[in-house]
Each structure stands twice: as C-alpha cells, then as structure tokens.
Amino acid sequence: MKTVDNYNFKGKKALIRVDFNVPLDKEYNITDDTRIRAAIPTINKVIADGGAVVLMSHLGRPRDVPEEKYSLKHIVNHLSKSLGRPVAFAEDCIGEKAKSLSKALKPGEVLLLENLRFYKQETAGTESFAKELAALGDVYVNDAFGTAHRAHASTAVIAQFFPGDKVFGYVMANELASINKVLTKADRPFTAILGGAKVSGKILIIDKLMDKIDNLIIGGGMAYTFIKAQGGKVGSSLVEDDKLDVALKVLSDAKAKGVNIYIPVDTVAASAFANDADKTTVDIKNIPDGYMGLDIGPSTEAQFAKVIADSKTILWNGPMGVFEMSNFEHGTKAASDAIVEATKKGAYSLIGGGDSVAAINKYNLANEVSYVSTGGGALLEYIESGSLPGVEAVEK
Ligand code: AMP
C-alpha cells in the first residue's frame, strides 16, 4: 500500500480528498470535528515535505446545486485553527477561480475547495468533471475512508489522471490496516458483536464473518427476529417477519461452521417506544403482549460480558438496545465496558458502524478501545465485498 510516507511532496501540489462531512448546528458551528482532526496529520506531512495542499470534500446531501447550508466555507475558520495556519477558500470546486487559486499556491499554503456535491457529476462519477478537478493538483491523495465505498468522481474516477502519483493518506492507511488486522490476522478467539435495528441490514456481513469468527453475539432490535424464528413470544418488539428464515439459516450456518452464537436470554421490555414508558425485565422468549424489547437484560449482559472478556479480537457493530434513551442504554454501556476491559487485557477491538461509534463516544471510551472506524458504511462494505472502489482506484 502506497501512502503519503512513500512520497516526497516537495514543490508539489497535493490534491487531497478528505472527508469533511461534519455535523453543523443551525449557527454553522461544528458539533463534532473528529473528521477534521483526523485529516490534519496527512495535511501536515505534505506541508512538512515542502508541498502545498488543495483539499476537496463533500458536506451533507445538497441536491446537486449550491445550497448555503452545505457550503464548506462554514468550516474554514475551524480548519484554520486546527491546522494553525491560514486556509484559503475557492467558492467553486472547478472553473477559472479554483484553477487560479490553486496555481498561485506556494509551499506550505492550503486551499479548500467548495462542496464537490454542488455538482451532480461528483456522485455520477463523471470523467470530465474528475479531469477538471485533477488539473488542480500534481499528486492525488485519497484520505476519505468514509466515502471510499462510492465510485464518485473525487473518490475513485479521478485516480486515473495521476498514474504514478496517487497515494493513501493516514486516515485511509490506518483504517485499512485496522480492518485487515481483524479480517486476516485476528488472534483467537475472535468475537463479532452485532446489534442495531434490523437483520436485513446485517445479513451480508454476518455471512462474510461466519468463516472468520469463533463467537457471534447478537443484540439490539435484530435479536427479536431470531427469538420469534425460534418460536418465542416477542410482543410488539421490532421483528422482520420476512427474515425469520434468514435468522434460522444464520443459526444453522453457525452450527455447521462451529461458530458459537449468543442470543439474548432476557430483555428490558417497555410499554411504548419512549424513555418514560413502563418497563419490565422478562424472559426474552416470553415478552408480554403490548410490550417491546428495547434493551438486553442483566443475565444477557453477564453472558455477553464473559464471552467478550475471553476474546482476543473483537469487532463491534450496532448497539445492544435503544441506547439513545437513558432507560434502555444499560446493555450497550455494559458491552462497551466489557470491550474496554478485554482491550486492557490485550484484545484488539475495532468499533465500526455509525451507532456503535456514537455509543462508544457517548460513554467517552473511544480512547480505551483499539480502533474506532471513521467510516461506517465503508467499513461494512469492505467486510462484505473485500475491497472498495476508492481503494482499488489508488492501488491500480
Ligand atoms: P443500525 O443502524 O442498524 O445499527 O441500528 C441502530 C439503531 O437501532 C439505533 O438507533 C437503536 O436505537 C436501534 N435499536 C437498537 N435496539 C433496538 C430495539 N430493541 N428496538 C428498536 N430499535 C433498536
């Protein structure tokens, strides 16, 4: 894998695809700058070599035309503070202005381009648009893991215009190293913890992981489909009735492949999908009518914690319950704590996928696990398909 460490940027203009798709509040304050902070080391490497930097990113989901609320100008000040140097802004990501600003850049200077998705050609992966972007730099750096599963103009198509001059940034390199460690060099036992809302969203990843893992822990909303498939009474819990056969197949595949599968035995059931609903802890196979399981129960927590504690590699995707509500977050917090404990004992833990990352951040435990992935969709797709368009384009 060729990274920025294998390239000397002296006198070059690096066109870096970053992921600055950060959340903004109504006053355009950045409410979580993780993605900006993550990009700083790559930018600094180019500058330290004596190069200049042109940054390109998307922000939000504009409808293919400029929209004030999605302008990247809102992040210029924050980025400039994080870098400790001025950042120039091009109000258009292509065209004469962008070209002249890029041309005038001196070593050590940084230019941020306007939102790529103000052009529909970005997501369409239009070659002519990618070529216009490519004219703004001498070398292409892809550091946007979060969009690497998309074959967009700036994430994949553009790479062909830099035949000998395309490398990965540190975010990409770290993400790929972390995931490859888990998928190809896992110490055993290897435990996958899958939760979240639905079986349908996780079935491909379960299939892929089945050949690699020793233990599969199933929690969250998807557990109730497994319980119902086995003849349990799940009340009004979230269930995908058209996936009962899929759940049974997962169970039989696990058995055939020697994977230990752990499904909740008790649940915290609520009279409504609300934090202040009446709640009761019950056998998960016997949830009363009118009640829905919103978290795993204490016996399940203890069982899961034991499996996690004995693991040497842990991959966690998806919360154990509706952790956004304080009365139903206990199971997710308990799983996070167990992962932290296992990590302290030497396990390698990778947390990936939007909501488990949100959970680990909620409990301030991101620094206590081995790696927190910055790209949920990209991580899952990499596990499912073994590659990503944005990775292939640079490696070609
Ligand atoms: P996913 O994006 O598939 O990982 O799903 C994450 C969402 O699943 C979170 O917003 C959780 O609140 C939700 N979730 C977790 N457990 C349950 C449950 N028992 N019932 C309904 N939703 C759940």
Side-chain angles (χ1 to χ4, degrees):
M1 187 197 304
K2 214 169 162 197
T3 76
V4 284
D5 281 336
N6 312 114
Y7 198 93
N8 187 349
F9 292 90
K10 190 172 167 50
K12 303 266 188 185
K13 242 162 244 150
L15 180 61
I16 312 181
R17 178 48 159 109
V18 287
D19 181 1
F20 284 166
N21 185 25
V22 290
L24 297 170
D25 66 15
K26 287 206 178 75
E27 274 84 47
Y28 301 119
N29 298 306
I30 296 164
T31 53
D32 179 353
D33 71 346
T34 310
R35 288 175 171 160
I36 292 179
R37 281 186 286 114
I40 301 296
T42 297
I43 299 170
N44 281 340
K45 156 68 169 129
V46 173
I47 292 172
D49 276 2
V53 174
V54 180
L55 298 168
M56 53 179 179
S57 177
H58 74 287
L59 173 65
R61 290 174 184 265
R63 268 159 271 149
D64 305 330
V65 288
E67 281 183 67
E68 169 73 13
K69 67 174 170 180
Y70 294 127
S71 172
L72 277 165
K73 72 179 179 205
H74 302 307
I75 73 153
V76 169
N77 281 341
H78 194 106
L79 174 62
S80 170
K81 269 192 208 126
S82 307
L83 271 172
R85 61 179 66 236
V87 172
F89 183 66
E91 285 160 18
D92 195 347
C93 63
I94 54 169
E96 282 316 312
K97 247 194 191 157
K99 248 193 235 167
S100 61
L101 282 167
S102 157
K103 202 166 166 212
L105 278 185
K106 295 191 194 64
E109 292 185 340
V110 179
L111 171 69
L112 173 66
L113 305 178
E114 181 56 288
N115 196 338
L116 295 161
R117 290 198 192 164
F118 284 176
Y119 288 87
K120 64 175 182 303
Q121 291 91 327
E122 162 64 359
T123 49
T126 306
E127 218 174 282
S128 54
F129 176 72
K131 195 171 179 186
E132 281 198 67
L133 290 172
L136 304 176
D138 309 311
V139 40
Y140 173 65
V141 180
N142 191 340
D143 210 19
F145 182 73
T147 44
H149 56 317
R150 309 278 184 227
H152 292 169
S154 71
T155 61
V157 180
I158 194 170
Q160 66 188 291
F161 300 111
F162 297 90
D165 300 285
K166 46 184 178 176
V167 294
F168 293 116
Y170 292 124
V171 174
M172 272 286 219
N174 290 339
E175 291 276 354
L176 295 174
S178 161
I179 187 160
N180 283 329
K181 169 159 179 58
V182 165
L183 292 183
T184 62
K185 290 179 255 173
D187 291 329
R188 314 215 132 209
F190 177 5
T191 300
I193 308 163
L194 297 181
K198 292 181 171 175
V199 179
S200 46
K202 305 285 155 93
I203 190 62
L204 281 175
I205 169 169
I206 293 179
D207 273 352
K208 279 287 161 189
L209 288 173
M210 203 64 100
D211 287 323
K212 302 180 187 293
I213 55 179
D214 303 292
N215 303 308
L216 175 60
I217 288 178
I218 301 220
M222 63 193 271
Y224 304 91
T225 297
F226 282 83
I227 299 297
K228 185 164 181 184
Q230 292 174 289
K233 241 181 95 226
V234 295
S236 42
S237 303
L238 185 66
V239 160
E240 287 171 280
D241 281 312
D242 60 339
K243 293 287 175 295
L244 299 177
D245 53 338
V246 170
L248 289 177
K249 182 158 184 313
V250 168
L251 294 174
S252 64
D253 283 355
K255 201 167 183 192
K257 295 186 173 174
V259 174
N260 304 309
I261 192 155
Y262 298 90
I263 291 170
V265 290
D266 58 351
T267 181
V268 182
S271 56
F273 192 80
N275 194 39
D276 58 358
D278 181 44
K279 61 173 183 151
T280 172
T281 300
V282 293
D283 170 2
I284 200 167
K285 292 200 170 73
N286 232 328
I287 301 176
D289 288 341
Y291 277 72
M292 60 184 80
L294 294 186
D295 197 6
I296 54 174
S299 304
T300 306
E301 276 181 14
Q303 190 189 39
F304 287 4
K306 185 166 180 342
V307 178
I308 294 167
D310 291 338
S311 303
K312 284 276 169 284
T313 303
I314 299 160
L315 172 66
W316 182 28
N317 170 269
M320 297 291 97
V322 185
F323 76 104
E324 297 93 333
M325 298 183 193
S326 58
N327 283 332
F328 306 102
E329 70 170 341
H330 203 272
T332 301
K333 172 84 169 65
S336 314
D337 289 339
I339 295 168
V340 167
E341 282 312 305
T343 311
K344 276 191 193 135
K345 284 190 344 197
Y348 186 85
S349 50
L350 167 60
I351 319 300
D355 278 318
S356 23
V357 174
I360 208 89
N361 285 331
K362 182 175 181 190
Y363 307 126
N364 282 323
L365 296 172
N367 292 328
E368 319 268 331
V369 295
S370 307
Y371 195 78
V372 179
S373 175
T374 57
L379 176 89
L380 298 187
E381 200 160 317
Y382 192 80
I383 297 174
E384 287 166 12
S385 66
S387 188
L388 298 172
V391 174
E392 274 173 28
V394 171
E395 280 178 342
K396 230 182 241 167

